[in-house]
Amino acid sequence: MRRTILEGVFAGGFVAVAAGVLFARENPATGYESSVYAGTPSATWAAFALALAIAVGTAIVCRGWYQGVGIGLGTLTVTAIVSLPVIRNYRYAGMGDAMTHLGWTRDIVGGKLEPHELFYPAVHSIGSVLGEVGGIPVERALLITMVVLFVPFLVFVPLVVRNVSGSAAAIGFGAIVSWMVLPVNNVATHMGVHTNSNALFFVPVVVFAVVAYLRRRAVIERLPLGLSPFSVLIFLSGVALLLIHPQQMVNVVVLVGAIALVQFLARRRYDDHPMLEHPTAYAHAAVLGLVFLAWSASNERFRDAISSVVYGLFAADVGAGTEVGQREASLAEIGGSIGELFVALFLDAAIIGLIVGLFVLAMWLGRTKVERETAAFVTYLALALIPLGGILALYFVGTPTMAFRQIGFIYVVLTILAGVAVAHLAGGLGRFVTRPGANAIVALALGACLMLGLLTVFTSPLIYDPGQHVTDQQFSGYESSFEHAAEDRPHAGLGYDPYRYDHGLYGLEREDVLSGATIETGEVDPDRFGAGNYSGAYHGVDYYLTVTEYDLTREVDVYQELYYSESSLAELESSPEADKVISNGEFSMYAVDGTE
């Protein structure tokens, strides 16, 4: 392709991204949106689709500077998609842990909490700084923080692949797979203000430092005391990851420890191997492990997390199998299935995982032409998946949420390996068809996976989980409800405990903060509520019931009245047991008299 034509194509791609952002910005959310995809104008999606089509094609076909521009175009487009809550002026997004993180950030801004008093203060500290420096609300600052911590994933995955392989094709394919955002599974990892998920996107920075340390051995780069600059980068990036979320730091320690163990075994087994020329990672694994233990051992949250895993291992009714069975039964009642949900959430991940697994097996059996240096790095990362998989097995039995978080980390590693694997797949196809034909086939397959991955990067009714968009009306409604409510009267919701809003609005560093359950649970009993027994639906006591547009969308439209029916909600309006005391269009609160 002639240079002028190619540059014109790139210009069109960047103009498309700019136009898509402009269309989205000119159409902000005016009320609660159950799907950011449906709420965003079609023109935006058309523009982003054009930009991604150009990015995929040029990342595969072009080399050198132009390949970098193509990767940059794709990175910019995916970043714009992830930034849609910011671009479309969402007040906030996230009603669970995200609200608690918002509360801690408010406490830091208000001087009620020092960052070092938190177990993982990085997200809150960055949000505080952005809010203070930019003069923007804390909610918006945290949404921007989410984007800031996401970008390193898109930037460093192709950089790691470049150090692992050096193949231009592998770099391009690695970049495309990173755009699928496979670490997000919307079971336990999410695109939002969720520190564990935010930490996943920083992991490639640490992996880049490790790979660069192993590969680049110039003596003139040494610092005093014989330290490599990349050793310093490993320690600094490891500490940064620890402060974002310690669980992912544990996985990095296991990863580096596995590399160190492979090096030790290679030195005992081989006389001539690329691994023998790599500097050892023994000290790095030990130092990172000690840093983690020093930070975590005395922390109560860490001890509680360990206790919950141990309890789950021995409890008969805890585990991913139990949870999957419960989800399958609920989905069947509303016309869905686990198979359908698997396709939406995990099909692209399963395809990439299968490609990587077959490639690694073929490489170890000597069926591929891989340079010895590249094979060494692939072996490092592939063998590290064994202990990481062992941790996954423990989590799977003990705590399902932790299991799916572990899958998120594993897919960070698989995303890196996918660049090399898909490049060899395309090369293999080139022996049966022309090389351009092989590239076209792989590009189409990756494009389909990319579309599926980006369609599920945010929650939406497509995966039976409406978006957790928090509007101004919801915030103002909860603020009024907490300020004017009687102190001895608990708050309850429909399948959702309102205490998180108390965290988000007022922080957690005060005496009267609501706990994780106002009495025993913050949810009204669906059976009694559905039968019209509003007085007895919440432990028989007087209570406040909050109903938001999010609740109605989830229970009526998405869950199809599985737990709470539209008729029972309508009858609540005229019930003598309930008195509507707050209403603003998207938020209603009822004072309900109990039976006791």
Side-chain angles (χ1 to χ4, degrees):
M1 184 181 294
R2 294 177 57 184
R3 178 182 298 180
T4 54
I5 297 176
L6 184 59
E7 291 175 351
V9 170
F10 279 132
F14 284 104
V15 168
V17 176
V21 171
L22 181 61
F23 291 142
R25 182 66 180 172
E26 291 299 310
N27 292 272
T30 57
Y32 169 72
E33 292 183 348
S34 62
S35 170
V36 69
Y37 302 104
T40 301
S42 299
T44 294
W45 294 117
F48 287 167
L50 174 61
L52 282 174
I54 295 172
V56 170
T58 53
I60 293 175
V61 174
C62 295
R63 295 293 179 264
W65 166 258
Y66 288 114
Q67 185 186 46
V69 175
I71 292 174
L73 175 60
T75 297
L76 180 63
T77 307
V78 175
T79 302
I81 293 173
V82 168
S83 304
L84 282 174
V86 179
I87 296 170
R88 300 196 55 246
N89 204 32
Y90 276 26
R91 171 71 180 273
Y92 196 57
M95 300 178 185
D97 289 348
M99 279 291 177
T100 300
H101 296 311
L102 173 59
W104 277 325
T105 308
R106 286 196 193 281
D107 289 332
I108 291 174
V109 172
K112 300 176 183 177
L113 180 70
E114 295 297 328
H116 67 269
E117 295 177 313
L118 287 173
F119 190 28
Y120 33 86
V123 170
H124 318 88
S125 301
I126 295 172
S128 301
V129 171
L130 290 177
E132 291 294 297
V133 173
I136 56 178
V138 175
E139 300 95 325
R140 189 166 186 82
L142 281 177
L143 291 179
I144 294 173
T145 300
M146 170 194 75
V147 178
V148 169
L149 291 176
F150 171 71
V151 172
F153 180 77
L154 302 181
V155 172
F156 279 87
V157 165
L159 289 178
V160 175
V161 175
R162 179 176 179 269
N163 271 344
V164 167
S165 173
S167 162
I171 296 170
F173 288 123
I176 295 170
V177 175
S178 75
W179 302 339
M180 300 176 192
V181 200
L182 297 180
V184 169
N185 53 50
N186 279 311
V187 178
T189 58
H190 310 275
M191 185 58 69
V193 184
H194 186 249
T195 52
N196 195 290
S197 303
N198 303 140
L200 285 174
F201 301 129
F202 193 79
V203 169
V205 179
V206 188
V207 178
F208 170 80
V210 172
V211 173
Y213 162 76
L214 296 174
R215 192 174 186 103
R216 303 183 185 184
R217 300 178 291 277
V219 176
I220 59 173
E221 294 179 352
R222 293 287 171 178
L223 297 174
L225 303 177
L227 283 175
S228 162
F230 296 106
S231 292
V232 176
L233 182 58
I234 291 171
F235 298 139
L236 291 178
S237 59
V239 170
L241 181 64
L242 173 68
L243 297 179
I244 300 174
H245 201 287
Q247 183 180 351
Q248 304 309 341
M249 176 63 164
V250 172
N251 286 324
V252 164
V253 172
V254 171
L255 176 68
V256 179
I259 291 174
L261 178 60
V262 172
Q263 289 181 320
F264 175 77
L265 295 176
R267 280 164 168 72
R268 294 178 63 88
R269 172 69 175 80
Y270 299 108
D271 295 322
D272 178 27
H273 196 281
M275 290 182 184
L276 305 184
E277 301 177 7
H278 296 162
T280 61
Y282 308 151
H284 302 81
V287 170
L288 291 176
L290 289 173
V291 168
F292 169 78
L293 289 176
W295 180 258
S296 306
S298 61
N299 189 275
E300 184 178 355
R301 291 178 63 87
F302 174 72
R303 294 195 300 269
D304 290 344
I306 295 296
S307 298
S308 66
V309 172
V310 174
Y311 169 78
L313 290 174
F314 296 99
D317 58 344
V318 177
T322 301
E323 182 159 308
V324 169
Q326 294 170 348
R327 294 282 182 92
E328 186 173 16
S330 298
L331 282 170
E333 289 191 51
I334 60 176
S337 68
I338 286 291
E340 176 189 349
L341 200 58
F342 174 85
V343 169
L345 292 178
F346 296 108
L347 180 60
D348 53 344
I351 292 172
I352 295 300
L354 179 62
I355 291 173
V356 171
L358 292 177
F359 163 71
V360 171
L361 180 61
M363 185 192 77
W364 285 345
L365 293 176
R367 300 298 181 88
T368 62
K369 296 180 180 179
V370 180
E371 294 183 2
R372 297 186 71 200
E373 183 81 359
T374 299
F377 282 99
V378 170
T379 299
Y380 282 144
L381 296 176
L383 290 179
L385 292 174
I386 296 176
L388 291 171
I391 297 174
L392 170 63
L394 290 176
Y395 285 152
F396 193 90
V397 176
T399 54
T401 298
M402 294 293 188
F404 283 98
R405 288 182 179 183
Q406 187 71 8
I407 290 173
F409 184 91
I410 288 173
Y411 264 93
V412 174
V413 179
L414 290 178
T415 297
I416 294 168
L417 291 174
V420 184
V422 176
H424 280 80
L425 174 63
L429 285 176
R431 294 198 295 266
F432 301 97
V433 297
T434 62
R435 187 57 186 263
N439 285 338
I441 293 171
V442 175
L444 288 173
L446 289 180
C449 290
L450 178 59
M451 181 180 68
L452 184 58
L454 291 176
L455 272 175
T456 55
V457 74
F458 290 109
T459 57
S460 72
L462 176 68
I463 57 173
Y464 300 98
D465 191 8
Q468 295 189 357
H469 172 205
V470 185
T471 64
D472 289 329
Q473 295 95 321
Q474 290 176 20
F475 263 124
S476 64
Y478 275 108
E479 187 172 22
S480 297
S481 72
F482 292 134
E483 287 183 357
H484 302 293
E487 292 184 2
D488 59 346
R489 197 165 191 163
H491 296 262
L494 299 178
Y496 186 84
D497 194 327
Y499 82 96
R500 294 283 197 174
Y501 277 89
D502 178 72
H503 292 181
L505 285 166
Y506 306 113
L508 288 83
E509 298 300 310
R510 64 188 205 283
E511 293 182 359
D512 56 344
V513 63
L514 293 183
S515 65
T518 335
I519 296 182
E520 295 177 13
T521 173
E523 306 169 12
V524 295
D525 182 79
D527 294 329
R528 294 183 179 182
F529 191 88
N533 182 11
Y534 306 117
S535 297
Y538 191 69
H539 310 290
V541 301
D542 297 345
Y543 66 98
Y544 293 111
L545 174 64
T546 58
V547 181
T548 67
E549 190 65 28
Y550 166 74
D551 298 325
L552 295 175
T553 300
R554 184 191 66 238
E555 299 299 335
V556 177
D557 297 338
V558 178
Y559 292 172
Q560 299 178 28
E561 305 179 77
L562 177 62
Y563 303 112
Y564 303 95
S565 67
E566 188 172 14
S567 60
S568 63
L569 290 168
E571 292 172 5
L572 179 67
E573 295 282 340
S574 57
S575 172
E577 304 166 3
D579 181 23
K580 182 184 288 187
V581 292
I582 297 177
S583 179
N584 65 13
E586 289 201 7
F587 176 95
S588 298
M589 186 174 82
Y590 302 84
V592 184
D593 297 327
T595 55
E596 295 181 355

